[in-house]
Amino acid sequence: MAVEIVYRSSRDPEQLFMDKAQADRHDKMLELAETLGEVLQKAVPQLGEQLAEEVSIYMARHRDIFAKAFKNNPEVLTELDSSGAA
Amino acid sequence: MAVEIVYRSSRDPEQLFMDKAQADRHDKMLELAETLGEVLQKAVPQLGEQLAEEVSIYMARHRDIFAKAFKNNPEVLTELDSSGAA
């Protein structure tokens, strides 16, 4: 037995990572999802908290693809088909 | 009376523009919204077509801000608060 370092995002304390870079990515993903969820719920109130959160986490997990799609290339979204659901 | 040129996107034939560049922007916005709507509905089936479309059109109308948010800067989303609803 030995003491070891694990990393986690304070936004999701149950998810532990052995690798700090992975924990960082997880934290940044959750940060984006949180902000996104608030904005979408305000813009489309019928969404409700639950759906706003699901949509936001899905997009935040695939942020690179959505960044390209919003910038200038909607077709990249077709790459998501093969990568499974939220 | 005189004949004049008006422009429209085939995705939204009722919306006419005097300016071709504006019609182009509208067409590109709708193209992004359409693709986005399909992807989100597939990822979060409980959304349904109507909500997926509303969320997608909202984001497509503000695509520059969402592009930045997804790329690296979620805080830019706070700019949306002052720009009104979908």
Side-chain angles (χ1 to χ4, degrees):
Chain A
M1 300 294 273
V3 169
E4 59 185 10
I5 294 177
V6 292
Y7 302 90
R8 68 183 189 183
S9 162
S10 58
R11 299 171 204 270
D12 182 14
E14 294 193 9
Q15 177 92 53
L16 301 178
F17 296 91
M18 301 305 293
D19 178 40
K20 183 168 182 306
Q22 269 192 316
D24 272 338
R25 271 199 299 279
H26 189 63
D27 183 63
K28 283 204 171 353
M29 186 278 286
L30 292 172
E31 182 197 10
L32 171 59
E34 249 178 58
T35 314
L36 205 54
E38 287 162 19
V39 164
L40 296 183
Q41 226 189 309
K42 201 173 288 175
V44 185
Q46 311 93 294
L47 260 187
E49 193 177 334
Q50 171 76 21
L51 282 178
E53 190 181 313
E54 280 187 51
V55 169
S56 298
I57 286 189
Y58 176 75
M59 291 193 286
R61 278 193 204 282
H62 301 285
R63 65 187 297 166
D64 295 348
I65 288 176
F66 282 96
K68 282 184 215 159
F70 280 104
K71 194 164 180 210
N72 54 24
N73 189 6
E75 296 92 64
V76 296
L77 292 174
T78 57
E79 290 176 24
L80 288 168
D81 278 347
S82 49
S83 67
Chain B
M1 303 293 272
V3 169
E4 59 186 9
I5 295 178
V6 291
Y7 303 91
R8 68 183 190 184
S9 162
S10 58
R11 299 172 205 270
D12 182 13
E14 294 194 8
Q15 177 92 54
L16 302 179
F17 297 91
M18 300 305 292
D19 178 40
K20 182 166 184 305
Q22 270 192 316
D24 271 338
R25 271 198 300 280
H26 189 63
D27 182 63
K28 282 203 173 352
M29 185 280 284
L30 292 172
E31 181 197 9
L32 172 58
E34 247 178 60
T35 314
L36 204 53
E38 287 162 18
V39 164
L40 295 183
Q41 226 189 311
K42 202 172 288 177
V44 185
Q46 311 94 292
L47 260 187
E49 193 176 333
Q50 171 76 21
L51 282 178
E53 191 181 312
E54 280 187 51
V55 169
S56 298
I57 286 190
Y58 176 75
M59 290 194 287
R61 278 193 204 282
H62 301 284
R63 66 186 297 166
D64 294 348
I65 288 176
F66 282 96
K68 283 183 214 156
F70 281 105
K71 195 165 180 206
N72 54 25
N73 189 7
E75 297 92 65
V76 296
L77 292 174
T78 57
E79 290 175 24
L80 288 168
D81 278 347
S82 50
S83 69

